Amino acid sequence: MSNLTDQTPSAGSSEETIAAIATPPGPGGIGIIRISGPLSLHIFQKIFSPRHKTETQDYESHRMYYGWIMVPDSESPVDEVLAVFMRAPNTYTREDVVEIQCHGSYLVLQEILSLIAANGARLAQPGEFTKRAFLNGRLDLTQAEAVVDLIEAKTDEGRSMAVGQLQGRLYEKVSSVQEKLVAMRAIIEVAIDFPDDETDILDHSALKQQLKDEIEQPLIKLIARADEGKIFREGISAVILGRPNVGKSSLLNTLLEEDRALVTPVPGTTRDTIEEFVNIKGMPVRIVDTAGIRHTSETVEEMGIQRARAKLAEAELVLFMLDATESLTEEDQALYSSVKQSSKKQKVLLVLNKIDIAPDTLPEQYSAALGSEPLVSVSAKERTGIQALKDRIFSLITGSKKGPGWDPGAAVVPNVRHKDVLKKGLEACRRVEEGLEENVSPDLLAIDLQSALSYLGDIVGETTTEDVLDMIFERFCIGK
Ligand code: GDP
């Protein structure tokens, strides 16, 4: 092993060395700073003073060192740390990486980061470490996307799906279809090269069958799974509507106390309504309570409905609350007709509340006025009927009574981006199929096959354009 001063940067694909705080802001037990790129070790050596001076002879890869971060060329200590140098290529980015574990103080983290920056690194963009992992071939694009899904997962089901994708399940599925397409293209290319023997080389009906069974079918299955996946990955949005005092806040609280989903609040979001995630059978449901509206001076008719409408437009589900102890009021009717006007695509579930002090049958005048929406009777206060409400929400959204009809840990679940590209790939395959039926020339078949291949390449990141890549990595936090 070389002497410390001789430890030259090892090979990495990027010229620039990047650095970022990898732990969330705010005080914590430990804070981590990550450096990646050719100068990682060089910078580290400048600011780190190991406890055992003999260790300064060299730094072994993947070994933890104990010592102090010092302002270079001074006696000024910044923090007591543990640090590890990881030599390329066995690292997250496949570049030289240093991770420094210091005390979880924002000031300490900032100070260390600025020392690193002053010594040759630049601050990393959101997701830049993972982008490098992708560009350096350690992860395919579906795995890189899984990293952000894993970080953002709100329920166990969402987490399991992300882990499966991180293990490469979607990549394998797409690759296996790609292989079949490549094999088919090879046959067609032979036919192009030997036009006189084309009819012997191309067995049209066999090729068509193969296309359907081995290529289109797997694509169709993947596309179908994507919609279900979206529900468990991103969740749905529901809005609780009803006139003041029907029990909207009480219901939200009851749901939250039982099954609050794990969500990190996003700093800087302004809220005129209360929004929380509830975990309903693995489905993250963002529930919007418009109760806050009544605390304004305006009446419900004037502006409550207006704001509720804006929320309504984003929601997949409306929980329309009624008070079982009172008869239907004009306010109820006004709100309800505004829901019906604006919620063309939303599902509506009537929630008859306060059945602990009133009969849980919908008064006749309600049925006449509110049509034939599904109804669940609850007592938000006494917590009765809550399970039935959750079951009903789940079945309304997923069309199924139980959890997902598949094991999220084992399933291959494309996201919306994948789904769009899969659909285009499938269309290209169908054009090949038509071409085979109509005996078009092999050159034309080859063009559509190539287009299907390049769509699949977009999914795994082989042919993905720079702007799509930017969009994907912008979703990440800084330091990942
Ligand atoms: P909101 O204005 O629609 O958000 O209604 P709140 O949740 O603030 O409830 C209004 C009043 O109704 C409060 O006094 C609650 O305690 C009461 N309340 C809410 N749900 C129930 C219920 O299921 N049973 C009974 N008896 N009272 C309820």
Side-chain angles (χ1 to χ4, degrees):
M1 213 169 284
S2 59
N3 183 281
L4 176 73
T5 48
D6 294 329
Q7 276 184 290
T8 45
S10 52
S13 64
S14 266
E15 298 276 298
E16 284 182 302
T17 297
I18 53 171
I21 298 169
T23 39
I30 295 174
I32 297 178
I33 291 166
R34 200 181 224 180
I35 319 173
S36 178
L39 291 180
S40 299
L41 181 59
H42 171 74
I43 295 170
F44 175 59
Q45 285 170 327
K46 281 192 143 178
I47 62 171
F48 181 66
S49 169
R51 170 76 177 82
H52 301 289
K53 294 295 177 203
T54 50
E55 285 173 356
T56 60
Q57 297 311 304
D58 49 56
Y59 285 96
E60 275 177 54
S61 184
H62 293 80
R63 190 185 148 189
M64 197 69 107
Y65 288 89
Y66 166 66
W68 283 80
I69 296 293
M70 308 285 292
V71 176
D73 310 318
S74 82
E75 294 297 306
S76 189
V78 179
D79 194 14
E80 185 185 26
V81 303
L82 283 171
V84 59
F85 160 60
M86 293 170 272
R87 187 178 287 281
N90 296 321
T91 67
Y92 185 66
T93 54
R94 284 211 169 151
E95 301 170 343
D96 281 359
V97 168
V98 169
E99 281 181 16
I100 300 170
Q101 298 182 6
C102 60
H103 290 104
S105 140
Y106 192 63
L107 291 175
V108 170
L109 284 159
Q110 279 298 337
E111 177 64 17
I112 298 176
L113 186 62
S114 52
L115 285 181
I116 293 167
N119 283 281
R122 81 162 159 77
L123 302 186
Q125 305 285 323
E128 198 170 0
F129 292 93
T130 310
K131 189 173 187 181
R132 288 188 175 194
F134 162 67
L135 293 173
N136 294 334
R138 200 186 84 82
L139 301 171
D140 81 284
L141 197 53
T142 66
Q143 289 172 313
E145 287 173 296
V147 171
V148 79
D149 286 345
L150 186 58
I151 293 172
E152 289 182 355
K154 297 172 187 71
T155 64
D156 280 341
E157 282 73 5
R159 182 188 53 77
S160 301
M161 286 186 334
V163 168
Q165 194 167 310
L166 187 57
Q167 285 177 318
R169 271 204 215 113
L170 178 59
Y171 174 76
E172 282 162 22
K173 210 37 160 230
V174 172
S175 301
S176 95
V177 177
Q178 277 177 311
E179 278 168 28
K180 305 264 165 51
L181 279 168
V182 169
M184 195 168 279
R185 189 183 59 184
I187 298 174
I188 287 170
E189 275 166 3
V190 175
I192 294 172
D193 290 342
F194 300 97
D196 294 343
D197 301 325
E198 187 192 316
T199 42
D200 294 337
I201 298 165
L202 291 187
D203 178 343
H204 283 223
S205 75
L207 278 178
K208 228 172 67 185
Q209 200 55 45
Q210 203 183 339
L211 193 67
K212 276 189 167 167
D213 297 346
E214 296 178 5
I215 296 165
E216 290 177 13
Q217 269 313 313
L219 294 183
I220 291 168
K221 271 195 196 155
L222 282 173
I223 292 167
R225 181 63 44 90
D227 288 335
E228 291 176 346
K230 183 170 186 286
I231 292 173
F232 289 94
R233 184 180 275 125
E234 295 167 25
I236 64 146
S237 172
V239 52
I240 308 181
L241 280 182
R243 67 177 156 79
N245 286 322
V246 288
K248 298 183 294 294
S249 308
S250 308
L251 179 67
L252 178 64
N253 288 336
T254 298
L255 288 170
L256 286 176
E257 275 163 35
E258 295 197 0
D259 286 299
R260 186 188 290 268
L262 274 177
V263 182
T264 325
V266 183
T269 45
T270 53
R271 290 180 174 176
D272 52 6
T273 49
I274 302 159
E275 298 186 15
E276 295 275 4
F277 272 96
V278 177
N279 179 350
I280 294 185
K281 296 183 171 189
M283 176 172 78
V285 179
R286 194 180 71 192
I287 298 198
V288 184
D289 169 20
T290 53
I293 288 167
R294 75 165 188 271
H295 298 304
T296 65
S297 55
E298 293 99 325
T299 67
V300 171
E301 280 93 338
E302 274 167 24
M303 69 82 53
I305 292 172
Q306 210 178 32
R307 270 210 232 167
R309 251 195 206 138
K311 285 290 157 196
L312 206 58
E314 300 163 14
E316 278 94 346
L317 175 71
V318 178
L319 299 175
F320 192 81
M321 274 196 105
L322 299 161
D323 186 335
T325 64
E326 291 177 34
S327 49
L328 198 71
T329 65
E330 273 181 23
E331 229 175 328
D332 285 324
Q333 275 175 323
L335 253 177
Y336 182 76
S337 51
S338 109
V339 167
K340 292 313 284 180
Q341 268 168 25
S342 45
S343 66
K344 296 278 184 289
K345 57 181 179 15
Q346 285 90 348
K347 296 186 163 123
V348 180
L349 181 58
L350 300 181
V351 182
L352 185 64
N353 189 32
K354 308 195 188 179
I355 56 160
D356 53 313
I357 49 170
D360 71 343
T361 47
L362 192 68
E364 240 168 56
Q365 47 145 340
Y366 276 55
S367 331
L370 305 184
S372 53
E373 308 291 355
L375 176 124
V376 179
S377 302
V378 301
S379 165
K381 197 171 178 184
E382 300 297 324
R383 300 174 185 227
T384 43
I386 300 301
Q387 190 53 48
L389 172 66
K390 288 186 200 161
D391 289 349
R392 204 59 196 260
I393 292 175
F394 189 86
S395 63
L396 260 180
I397 297 297
T398 64
S400 137
K401 286 204 163 49
K402 298 192 191 114
W406 37 279
D407 171 6
V412 179
V413 193
N415 66 21
V416 177
R417 179 185 80 84
H418 306 144
K419 183 186 162 188
D420 286 348
V421 189
L422 283 166
K423 275 170 127 179
K424 288 179 185 151
L426 181 63
E427 281 161 22
C429 291
R430 292 207 162 125
R431 285 198 298 275
V432 179
E433 204 189 313
E434 279 166 27
L436 284 166
E437 224 154 76
E438 292 161 11
N439 282 326
V440 303
S441 83
D443 304 74
L444 293 177
L445 295 177
I447 290 172
D448 284 326
L449 268 183
Q450 186 50 44
S451 133
L453 265 170
S454 107
Y455 283 125
L456 296 190
D458 281 354
I459 295 179
V460 295
E462 287 159 3
T463 50
T464 320
T465 55
E466 196 60 39
D467 50 334
V468 173
L469 289 182
D470 286 346
M471 250 166 51
I472 291 170
F473 288 101
E474 270 164 18
R475 282 181 61 206
F476 281 70
C477 44
I478 289 181
K480 189 65 222 175

